[in-house]
């Protein structure tokens, strides 16, 4: 009878080969796997078989399986093994470390991995109680060669990961091992640094003479740095800064070694990013010394040059490409500088008395180099640190930071320009973007966040040098105004000769406008009134007002600049009519006059932008606009008299602006009369017999809006005018309820007739000048809400025509908001906005439903006691807003909860 171990080994070898053979059938592979698993679970001589299969004379897959057997024994049978067998297995495993592997460059990485796992599993069970000399034995192994040294590093790293990072041990064992590691950390670090020094020195000696030998030492260096990284994150900071920060010094020196620099940067980053007591972190400031800063800057410069290489392939023209390893190193180095800046901001001005480094200028210049790097990712990585520096109470006043702030502004002028799309080749950033982003949409989403970051940093920087920032913004604005429009190769689909969203002029104007918006808003907060550059601001505003363009994308930027510079007009009131003329002209903007085609989104945005600007001015400067009220009112009436000029949203926006300014009448009767006149047409239509019948009867309502009609695409839907007028009524009621108010000053409110009494505790009771009008319109509004809820009843659902059977479904905008999806295409501003009859009906129902609840939700805050004292109010609300809720879809209930219940609860509370 033969040796059972040898026979079993032969069978296991065959089984492993079957499992790994691509030609094996699924049935044979599963049978082989079952045989191997049953062997590991049940066989009594796993250890001798595992050792025999792990012999380096076997193939790599067989050796790996043999080592897996030993790992399985240690994991699942160790506690039941006699002590003698444990000692024997441990000795055999250490023998495998000593002589059981091939040289470092020949051995398979998965063999090294499983072998290190075996040792770590024994350490987790035996150290320190039953294996007190483990660390000494590991140290002794390193004298046997590079392969053994690498294995020791892998063992120490995995031990730290299992104990500290992943915590794969029972609590008590983990505490024992962690405590012992901590007690021995000084010697462990000395050991690791000594190993690193030895092999780095050998690598440097041999790198230009005997590359294979040098590569072996390099491999050990990389493994040692990886092991250090696993410990630096959690050991006491004293271990890192020990011996006058010798570790940090070594890591800085290694930044110049191409083969080791990435791992060195990883270690450095982890070390500098450490939190803890400020006094423990104080030694980290040694990295601002000349030597450390020199190596960091030199490494950055050399890596920057090496990150780009020439490339040529059959599918791509000769050009440049990103070298991944060097680019990754650049990212790590950028993170190192960011972390260094964070430590600087934490320590300077704190109780540990750290002075501003003498090398602050060298540091900020290096940091600025990353901010101006072609890689958009690197640029964005610096923003948080810049913001922290500019907000710092002490550093922000340092002359170096003050000068650097101006340089940052100049860099931001370039960084705000949206270039670098992966699909393009019009910028050095494109090649880096192809490495960092999967698509243009991915890049676009990133850049929007990046731009928002920059805006925040620019606003912080304006606190330091507001006038200089304004000067830079003014120069850029003047330059854009004087520069001819360049539409580039991406021509707009709207009309010939217009910019698309990616045209050179469009992206430049967009970037300049964002910068100006970020800067000018802060100058009025950070500069005293007598020092404000009013003359220059008015000069800029005049240049903007005189700039004429029919390009909607450029005009949108022009309008933003008008709004941004408007505060200067408060110092020169005679310019107000020019501003209003510019805005009113833009409200009726058209690219192609007399065109019946649907307007593009860009054109719609211009008109909406102008309306929003007028509302914002009326909200923020109502007293200032009051002298122009009559002029504005007459102009609005003139626009309203021509039906096709404005859509309902534009009409409502202008009415809101007038209501906001009318709040400055500070005369109850005058404002009440104005609101009655403003709402006369709406009130007459809303309270008419026809409208009452429509609003109170679901069947009549569906017929009125045309939802029960069959309509073919391409034909006109005759009831669209009914929907428009109905929506206009609700929008108008909402606008008045939202905007009409009494004076904030009590004395002015009393003098104007807005105060009607006092509460028992002495608080004034106000009356809103829109009370009478709104209360007269409220019954039909409640009826509309009840009818809308009733539309979801089965008998009314069946009234919908086939064309509009999905009229109550969620619209795409709602879905995107809920799912958090970004805007889709990058050219959404170009195509005309064609909507199907169904899409228009869906939008109508969705908006009408929301606006009804908005109105009801704001009525309490606006009308106050006149609303809450309505006879039978609770019954009316229950009989409208809470009717047929079992049938109302969840996405509609969400609107009711968020818009109606929260404002009403707030009103009752206040």
């Amino acid at each position: 009878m033969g040796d059972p171990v040898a026979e079993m080994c032969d069978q296991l070898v065959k089984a492993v080969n079957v499992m790994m053979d691509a030609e094996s059938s699924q049935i044979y592979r599963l049978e082989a796997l079952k045989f191997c698993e049953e062997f590991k679970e049940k066989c009594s001589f796993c250890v001798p078989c595992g050792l025999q299969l792990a012999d380096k004379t076997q193939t790599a897959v067989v050796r790996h399986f043999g080592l897996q057997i030993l790992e399985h024994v240690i994991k699942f049978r160790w506690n039941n093994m006699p002590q003698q067998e444990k000692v024997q297995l441990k000795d055999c495993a250490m023998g495998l470390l000593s002589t059981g592997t091939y040289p470092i460059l020949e051995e398979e990485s998965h063999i090294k991995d499983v072998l290190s796992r075996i040792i770590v599993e024994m350490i987790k069970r035996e150290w320190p109680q039953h294996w007190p000399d483990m660390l000494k034995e590991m140290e002794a192994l390193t004298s046997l060669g590079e392969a053994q040294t690498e294995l020791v590093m892998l063992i120490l790293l995995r031990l730290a990961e299992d104990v500290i990072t992943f915590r794969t041990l029972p609590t008590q064992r983990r505490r024992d091992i962690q405590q012992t590691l901590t007690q021995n950390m000084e010697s462990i670090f000395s050991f690791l640094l000594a190993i690193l020094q030895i092999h780095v020195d050998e690598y440097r000696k041999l790198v230009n003479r005997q590359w294979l030998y040098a590569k072996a030492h390099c491999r050990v260096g990389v493994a040692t740095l990886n092991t250090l990284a696993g410990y630096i994150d959690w050991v006491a900071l004293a271990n890192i800064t020990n011996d006058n920060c010798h570790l940090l010094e070594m890591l800085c020196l290694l930044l110049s070694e191409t083969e080791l620099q990435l791992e060195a940067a990883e270690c450095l980053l982890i070390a500098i990013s450490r939190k803890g007591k400020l006094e423990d972190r104080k030694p980290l400031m040694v990295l601002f010394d000349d030597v450390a800063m020199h190596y960091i800057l030199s490494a950055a410069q050399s890596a920057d040059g090496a990150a780009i290489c020439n490339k040529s392939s059959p599918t791509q023209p000769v050009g440049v490409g990103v070298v991944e390893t060097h680019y990754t190193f650049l990212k790590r180095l950028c993170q190192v500088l960011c972390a260094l800046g964070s430590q600087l901001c934490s320590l300077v001005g704190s109780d540990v008395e750290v002075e501003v480094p003498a090398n602050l200028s060298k540091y900020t210049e290096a940091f600025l180099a990353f901010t101006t790097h072609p890689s958009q990712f690197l640029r964005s990585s610096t923003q948080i640190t810049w913001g922290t520096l500019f907000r710092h109470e002490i550093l922000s006043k340092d002359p170096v930071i003050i000068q650097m702030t101006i340089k940052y502004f100049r860099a931001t002028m370039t960084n705000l320009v949206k270039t670098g799309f992966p699909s393009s080749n019009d910028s050095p950033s494109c090649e880096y973007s192809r490495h960092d982003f999967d698509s243009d949409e991915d890049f676009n989403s990133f850049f929007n966040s990046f731009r928002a970051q920059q805006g925040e940093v620019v606003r912080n920087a304006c606190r330091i040098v507001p006038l200089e920032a304004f000067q830079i913004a003014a120069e850029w604005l003047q330059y854009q105004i004087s520069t001819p429009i360049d539409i580039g190769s991406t021509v707009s689909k709207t009309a010939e000769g217009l910019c698309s969203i990616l045209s050179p002029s469009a992206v430049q104007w967009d970037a300049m406008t964002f910068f100006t918006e970020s800067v000018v808003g802060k100058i009025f907060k950070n500069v005293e009134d007598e020092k404000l550059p009013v003359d220059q601001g008015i000069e800029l505003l005049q240049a903007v007002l005189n700039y004429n363009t029919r390009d909607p994308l450029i005009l949108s930027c022009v309008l933003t600049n008008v709004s941004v510079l408007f505060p200067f007009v408060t110092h020169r009131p005679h310019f107000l009519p020019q501003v209003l003329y510019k805005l009113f002209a833009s409200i009726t903007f058209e690219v192609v006059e007399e065109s019946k085609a649907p307007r593009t989104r860009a054109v719609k945005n211009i008109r909406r932008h102008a309306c929003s600007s007028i509302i914002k001015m009326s909200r923020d400067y109502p007293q200032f606009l009051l002298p122009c009220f009559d002029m504005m009112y007459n102009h609005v009436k003139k626009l309203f008299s021509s039906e096709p000029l404005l859509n309902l949203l534009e009409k409502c926006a202008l009415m809101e602006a007038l209501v906001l300014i009318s709040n400055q009448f500070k005369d109850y009767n005058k404002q009440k009369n104005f609101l009655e006149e403003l709402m006369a047409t709406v009130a007459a239509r809303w309270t008419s017999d026809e409208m009452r019948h429509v609003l109170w009867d679901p069947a009549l309502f569906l017929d009125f809006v045309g939802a029960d009609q069959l309509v073919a695409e391409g034909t006109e839907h005759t009831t669209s005018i009914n929907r428009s007028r109905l929506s206009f009524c609700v929008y108008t009621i909402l606008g008045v309820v939202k905007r009409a108010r009494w004076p904030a000053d009590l004395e002015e409110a009393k003098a104007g007739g807005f105060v009607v009494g006092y509460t028992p505790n002495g608080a004034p009771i106000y009356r809103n000048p829109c009370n009478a009008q709104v209360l007269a319109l409220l019954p039909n509004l409640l009826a509309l809400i009840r009818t809308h809820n009733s539309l979801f009843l089965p008998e009314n659902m069946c009234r919908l025509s086939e064309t509009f059977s999905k009229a109550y479904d969620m619209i795409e905008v709602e879905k995107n908001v809920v799912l958090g999806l970004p805007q889709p295409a990058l050219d959404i501003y170009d195509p005309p906005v064609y909507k199907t009859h169904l899409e228009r009906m869906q939008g109508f129902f969705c908006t009408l439903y929301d606006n009804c609840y908005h109105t009801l939700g704001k009525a309490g805050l606006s009308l106050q006691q006149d609303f809450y004292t309505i006879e039978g109010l609770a019954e009316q609300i229950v009989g409208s807003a809470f009717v047929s809720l079992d049938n109302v879809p969840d996405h509609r209930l969400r609107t009711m909860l968020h818009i109606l219940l929260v404002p009403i609860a707030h009103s009752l509370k206040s």
Side-chain angles (χ1 to χ4, degrees), residues 767-831:
R767 58 175 176 170
N768 195 315
C770 75
N771 282 1
Q773 300 92 304
V774 174
L775 290 175
L777 304 176
L778 194 59
N780 275 0
L781 182 77
L782 292 172
L784 175 58
I785 293 174
R786 179 174 60 253
T787 298
H788 207 302
N789 280 2
S790 301
L791 295 179
F792 300 105
L793 293 172
E795 60 266 29
N796 292 322
M797 290 288 290
C798 67
R799 298 180 193 273
L800 294 175
S801 69
E802 187 178 345
T803 306
F804 300 113
S805 61
K806 297 183 178 180
Y808 306 145
D809 289 1
M810 285 184 76
I811 60 177
E812 287 303 313
V813 173
E814 288 182 303
K815 292 178 184 177
N816 291 341
V817 169
V818 172
L819 296 173
L821 298 177
Q823 284 282 5
L826 293 169
D827 61 349
I828 57 171
Y829 295 91
D830 272 347

Side-chain angles (χ1 to χ4, degrees), residues 423-440:
S423 66
S424 302
N425 285 297
D426 56 357
S427 163
S429 300
C430 296
E431 192 62 48
Y432 290 95
S433 294
R434 279 189 278 276
H435 186 84
D436 289 324
F437 306 104
D438 295 329
S439 64
D440 283 357

Side-chain angles (χ1 to χ4, degrees), residues 132-197:
D133 296 330
M134 184 272 295
L135 289 175
K136 291 181 180 179
E137 291 182 34
M138 293 297 137
E139 186 174 349
L141 278 172
T142 61
S143 63
L144 300 179
E146 293 80 26
Q148 288 72 25
T149 306
E150 184 189 27
L151 284 168
V152 170
M153 295 301 114
L154 293 175
I155 290 165
L156 292 177
L157 175 57
R158 182 171 291 277
L159 178 62
E161 289 174 343
D162 283 0
V163 174
I164 308 299
T165 309
F166 303 123
R167 301 189 172 202
T168 59
L169 293 82
T171 303
Q172 189 55 50
R173 285 299 299 142
R174 184 176 59 78
R175 286 176 181 168
D176 289 346
I177 296 175
Q178 184 172 350
Q179 184 178 10
T180 311
L181 279 172
T182 302
Q183 291 170 351
N184 290 276
M185 198 51 66
E186 186 175 345
S187 61
I188 291 173
F189 259 68
S190 298
F191 165 63
L192 292 176
L193 289 180
I195 293 293
L196 182 62
Q197 188 71 63

Side-chain angles (χ1 to χ4, degrees), residues 501-540:
I501 195 171
L502 298 179
S503 295
S505 285
V507 296
Q508 287 286 342
W509 267 94
D510 187 40
M512 177 275 295
T513 300
F514 184 86
F515 184 80
T516 305
E517 201 173 6
S518 301
V519 167
V520 176
K522 285 294 180 182
I523 194 171
F524 291 94
K525 295 181 180 179
N526 297 313
V527 177
E528 299 169 1
D529 284 353
E530 58 272 16
K531 294 182 180 179
L532 284 171
V534 176
D535 291 334
Q536 189 179 7
I538 291 296
E539 182 184 343
L540 280 175

Side-chain angles (χ1 to χ4, degrees), residues 626 629 658 661-667 670-671 674 754:
L626 186 60
F629 178 81
L658 291 173
I661 301 173
S662 75
N663 291 332
Q664 298 304 309
F665 290 170
K666 298 176 182 176
D667 182 322
K670 182 180 179 181
Q671 190 174 2
F674 160 72
F754 293 91

Side-chain angles (χ1 to χ4, degrees), residues 432-625:
Y432 290 95
S433 294
R434 279 189 278 276
H435 186 84
D436 289 324
F437 306 104
D438 295 329
S439 64
D440 283 357
E441 283 71 23
D442 188 19
F443 172 81
N444 192 54
S445 177
F446 153 81
F447 193 88
N448 290 338
S449 299
F450 175 30
R451 172 174 286 187
Q453 271 188 321
Q454 291 180 88
E456 182 63 29
V457 178
V458 166
R459 288 188 285 275
N460 286 324
C462 284
R463 294 170 51 252
I464 303 174
V465 283
L467 294 176
E468 289 84 347
F470 178 76
Q471 186 62 40
I472 292 171
E475 291 172 5
W476 196 1
L477 177 54
Q478 291 280 19
Y479 173 79
Q480 286 303 132
I481 289 174
S482 62
T483 303
I485 291 180
D486 178 10
I487 63 174
S489 57
T490 52
V491 183
S492 170
K493 302 169 187 173
T494 306
E496 189 175 350
L498 298 183
C499 290
S500 76
I501 195 171
L502 298 179
S503 295
S505 285
V507 296
Q508 287 286 342
W509 267 94
D510 187 40
M512 177 275 295
T513 300
F514 184 86
F515 184 80
T516 305
E517 201 173 6
S518 301
V519 167
V520 176
K522 285 294 180 182
I523 194 171
F524 291 94
K525 295 181 180 179
N526 297 313
V527 177
E528 299 169 1
D529 284 353
E530 58 272 16
K531 294 182 180 179
L532 284 171
V534 176
D535 291 334
Q536 189 179 7
I538 291 296
E539 182 184 343
L540 280 175
L541 180 60
Q542 279 186 295
V544 173
L545 293 173
N546 294 333
Y547 184 80
N548 293 313
T549 178
R550 301 300 298 169
D551 193 305
L553 293 177
I554 304 300
L555 181 55
S556 179
C557 295
V558 170
L559 293 180
T560 301
N561 282 287
V562 170
S563 297
V564 167
L565 296 168
F566 182 77
F568 287 111
V569 180
T570 60
H571 298 267
R572 301 286 191 274
H574 56 281
F575 283 101
L576 179 57
Q578 295 181 46
V579 174
L580 293 175
Y581 174 79
K582 186 80 171 182
L583 294 176
F584 274 113
S586 300
I587 289 174
T588 57
F589 174 80
E590 296 283 5
V591 171
V592 183
E593 300 294 345
E594 304 299 326
S595 173
K596 292 187 178 180
R599 296 185 181 113
T600 64
R601 199 178 300 272
V603 172
K604 286 188 171 187
N605 283 351
I606 288 296
R607 298 165 70 104
R608 190 176 297 129
H609 194 155
C611 291
S612 299
S613 297
I614 291 178
I615 288 179
K616 183 181 177 185
M617 287 163 49
S618 303
R619 182 197 67 197
D620 297 341
Y621 305 97
Q623 188 66 44
F624 183 67
L625 266 64

Side-chain angles (χ1 to χ4, degrees), residues 701-768:
F701 179 81
L702 290 173
D703 180 65
F704 183 74
V705 301
D708 59 353
Q709 300 172 10
L710 284 169
V711 186
E713 290 300 332
T715 61
E716 187 175 353
H717 197 192
T718 54
T719 58
S720 61
I721 188 68
N722 292 340
R723 295 200 300 269
S724 179
R725 288 172 178 170
L726 184 59
S727 295
F728 180 63
C729 289
V730 176
Y731 265 119
T732 303
I733 299 169
L734 173 59
V736 171
V737 168
K738 187 165 63 172
R739 301 299 189 182
R741 284 292 183 273
W742 50 86
D745 183 85
L746 176 60
E747 295 303 318
E748 290 180 341
K750 285 196 294 185
F754 293 91
V755 178
V756 294
Y758 295 88
T759 63
N761 61 4
I765 299 174
Y766 297 99
R767 58 175 176 170
N768 195 315

